[in-house]
Amino acid sequence: MVSGPAFAAVSQRNPDIRIFALETAVSRFSDVMWVMQQVLFMSMDKRLAIFLSDESARTGSDTIALTCGQIARYMGSAREVVSRMLKYFAGEGIVEVSRGGVTILKLWCSWFFGGKEYGVNC
């Protein structure tokens, strides 16, 4: 931990430290604002669908090796809510939920979002 006055002195002498600190703060603030936007203006089913779509694209696999609790933590939600939504998706034949993971069964993006809405790659 660095005190405020010590950081101010070092960052005045070295602009790279100041730039790094500001870029880090902006990045974290942007992440917080993105989560707030998701929570305030998007329903949980859409948030979960976007998360699963993004995670599948990131890993290059239809199987997401995360538990309901882990998904909930990433999304800023409760495990019970994620579990309930995954059960709904499973009932619709969109995903298969197993211990420690979720498998996307069919291309559900166009079914759920009706195209390119919400910036999801269908």
Side-chain angles (χ1 to χ4, degrees):
M1 184 66 77
V2 178
S3 69
F7 178 77
V10 170
S11 67
Q12 281 183 335
R13 288 191 306 261
N14 190 341
D16 290 335
I17 291 175
R18 175 178 282 178
I19 291 169
F20 174 76
L22 289 173
E23 286 176 349
T24 301
V26 166
S27 174
R28 290 188 180 171
F29 183 72
S30 176
D31 291 345
V32 167
M33 292 308 296
W34 184 83
V35 169
M36 290 299 296
Q37 178 186 3
Q38 298 289 310
V39 169
L40 293 173
F41 301 113
M42 197 174 295
S43 64
M44 183 59 189
D45 55 349
K46 286 184 174 61
R47 288 176 53 215
L48 180 57
I50 289 171
F51 176 83
L52 295 174
S53 177
D54 289 350
E55 194 65 18
S56 176
R58 186 183 71 76
T59 61
S61 172
D62 287 340
T63 300
I64 292 115
L66 296 171
T67 65
C68 292
Q70 290 169 319
I71 293 170
R73 278 191 296 279
Y74 283 123
M75 294 180 60
S77 185
R79 181 196 56 78
E80 296 82 5
V81 174
V82 170
S83 178
R84 195 175 325 124
M85 290 308 310
L86 286 173
K87 285 180 186 176
Y88 168 74
F89 287 172
E92 293 292 324
I94 301 166
V95 300
E96 181 179 279
V97 181
S98 60
R99 188 173 182 95
V102 178
T103 302
I104 298 171
L105 298 177
K106 63 182 178 182
L107 182 60
W108 51 279
C109 201
S110 58
W111 170 83
F112 194 84
F113 293 105
K116 297 274 183 187
E117 191 176 356
Y118 299 107
V120 176
N121 296 321
C122 296

